[in-house]
Amino acid sequence: MSLSSRRPEKARIIARSPEARQAAWQRAVADSIRDTSQLFDLLRLEPAGLAAATAAADRFACRLPRRLLDGIATGTAGDPVLRQFLPSGAELEAHEGYTTDPVGDLEAARAAGLLRKYAGRALLITTGACAVHCRYCFRRHFPYAEQHAGRDSWDGALDVLAHATEISEVILSGGDPLMLDDERLAELWRLLAAIPHIRRLRVHTRMPVVIPDRVTAGLLRLLAAPRFATSVVVHVNHSNELAEDAAAALQRLRRAGIGVLNQSVLLRGVNDDTETLCALSEELFAAGVLPYYLHQLDPVAGAAHFAVGEQEAVALVRAMRNRLPGYLVPRLVREVPGASAKEVLAG
Ligand SMILES: *Cc1c(COP(=O)(O)O)cnc(C)c1O
Ligand code: SF4
């Protein structure tokens, strides 16, 4: 239908309506920074690094929500928040042992988007999309297009789950499952609710912290629904990520009765010192979140510059033990391809 055949004021309303229907969080996603030269401009970064950053972003796109800039120092490529999202020339280097599928995801894929590695739990890749692109992401080379259980292909994954009576917990992962809107999530909840042996749902997401508006009233109702014991595992690596609005979003989840845990990745130049790790634990707890895991970096191609050696990692977590109550010390873990659980190194 042609809009030009309508009266002008009506055409204007129609043209505006898809935008008006978008929730604030969806507008924040759409408005995120994807262009390296814009990022360099906004943060007044040294232009000499731009060509390499752009080449790195051609391999794995640059992406971060605009509000994160408020917590980043200008002119500082090494800022601990920015370092996680800034494409850099170091990603283009090849390193022995760093591969495109470091944790054996392709091996564990049993149906479209379903990963079964650990007893009693299955991980459902709900979408390939994320609101931020973390440069060290272990799925930066994962073939999402084939593997995520999208709207048309949940059937295969649900069918496997329905027959796997030993599975009592489904972990929604991605990508970021909270990139799906409340309606899609409600549909997924309804389909999972029909499988009686599934008792727990877990949502692995970075959204409450990177786009706090994502914690809508509708989402809280869904997560608090009594059919499942539901937990949310967020991903925060530095206390600078816990701005007031992010902490408030985490508090809303807690007040709705949802267990909120955090997993971090130990990253060179971001959180590789005791002081930073202790501050992170304390700020998380102030927002109602318990530290769960501190992951050793998975050796994914393009992320070698983030690696912290195992001895150093163990020493860092031991030092945390000397400074904090036990419940604020995360378990230092490593993913071992093919193993039946994550390997605990300390904590
Ligand atoms: C980490 C992980 C889990 C969950 O492990 P927990 O120790 O229960 O947090 C489940 N499936 C996969 C594939 C994982 O990588
Ligand atoms: S939010 Fe998680 S899945 Fe998405 S890019 Fe970051 S680490 Fe990867």
Side-chain angles (χ1 to χ4, degrees):
M1 190 192 328
S2 157
L3 288 179
S4 59
S5 67
R6 297 174 175 276
R7 282 176 304 152
E9 65 274 25
K10 189 144 190 193
R12 232 180 8 252
I13 290 164
I14 286 168
R16 211 178 46 208
S17 60
E19 164 81 4
R21 271 202 306 274
Q22 271 196 330
W25 71 266
Q26 288 169 313
R27 289 198 296 275
V29 168
D31 187 40
S32 60
I33 299 166
R34 275 168 250 189
D35 180 52
T36 43
S37 53
Q38 191 186 26
L39 183 60
F40 271 64
D41 276 354
L42 288 167
L43 288 173
R44 284 185 260 126
L45 299 174
E46 206 48 63
L50 179 59
T54 306
D58 282 343
R59 295 204 186 168
F60 181 51
C62 169
R63 184 171 195 134
L64 68 158
R66 227 161 264 274
R67 65 168 279 290
L68 285 188
L69 299 187
D70 296 343
I72 294 172
T74 51
T76 315
D79 176 280
V81 177
L82 179 61
R83 188 168 155 81
Q84 300 174 52
F85 310 116
L86 178 67
S88 84
E91 294 172 36
L92 306 170
E93 294 164 15
H95 286 267
E96 176 96 32
Y98 284 73
T99 67
T100 54
D101 183 22
V103 298
D105 269 357
L106 292 176
E107 196 71 10
R110 297 294 155 82
L114 196 68
L115 304 183
R116 286 175 66 188
K117 291 206 283 200
Y118 301 150
R121 290 147 288 172
L123 194 146
L124 186 64
I125 295 183
T126 50
T127 168
C130 285
V132 282
H133 281 181
C134 315
R135 308 316 297 175
Y136 54 85
C137 179
F138 71 99
R139 296 208 177 105
R140 53 179 285 158
H141 308 282
F142 196 66
Y144 286 120
E146 296 117 74
Q147 292 293 342
H148 82 77
R151 174 174 270 152
D152 303 326
S153 52
W154 278 340
D155 286 0
L158 288 162
D159 193 53
V160 173
L161 286 173
H163 290 95
T165 52
E166 74 281 10
I167 300 226
S168 52
E169 177 166 4
V170 173
I171 301 166
L172 306 182
S173 182
D176 195 315
L178 297 189
M179 287 288 274
L180 301 178
D181 64 26
D182 291 350
E183 224 166 88
R184 297 271 311 275
L185 288 173
E187 184 191 351
L188 183 57
W189 248 247
R190 191 174 52 73
L191 293 166
L192 290 168
I195 304 174
H197 51 269
I198 299 175
R199 304 179 58 202
R200 296 187 302 280
L201 290 188
R202 198 196 305 180
V203 181
H204 280 185
T205 177
R206 229 179 163 171
M207 288 294 265
V209 176
V210 297
I211 301 186
D213 282 341
R214 179 63 191 93
V215 183
T216 59
L219 180 68
L220 289 171
R221 270 196 302 279
L222 193 64
L223 295 174
R227 165 64 181 82
F228 300 108
T230 302
S231 57
V232 168
V233 181
V234 292
H235 172 182
V236 185
N237 297 318
H238 193 284
S239 57
N240 287 4
E241 293 166 62
L242 294 170
E244 213 170 302
D245 53 348
L250 295 169
Q251 295 279 15
R252 286 205 293 285
L253 288 166
R254 286 293 299 131
R255 275 201 299 271
I258 297 145
V260 189
L261 303 168
N262 180 61
Q263 52 184 345
S264 305
V265 181
L266 182 58
L267 298 167
R268 178 69 74 207
V270 173
N271 56 11
D272 57 337
D273 64 278
T274 312
E275 202 72 44
T276 301
L277 290 169
C278 289
L280 173 60
S281 277
E282 293 190 300
E283 292 309 314
L284 284 167
F285 191 67
V289 181
L290 281 173
Y292 179 38
Y293 282 145
L294 177 63
H295 291 265
Q296 271 292 60
L297 181 77
D298 295 313
V300 63
H305 55 295
F306 285 112
V308 176
E310 189 170 313
Q311 274 192 341
E312 186 181 345
V314 169
L316 282 170
V317 173
R318 294 218 173 112
M320 288 181 84
R321 268 230 160 259
N322 291 331
R323 304 249 307 252
L324 293 175
Y327 63 88
L328 291 186
V329 181
R331 265 156 283 176
L332 177 68
V333 291
R334 182 173 58 185
E335 194 79 31
V336 182
S340 60
K342 292 184 210 302
E343 183 188 358
V344 179
L345 301 170

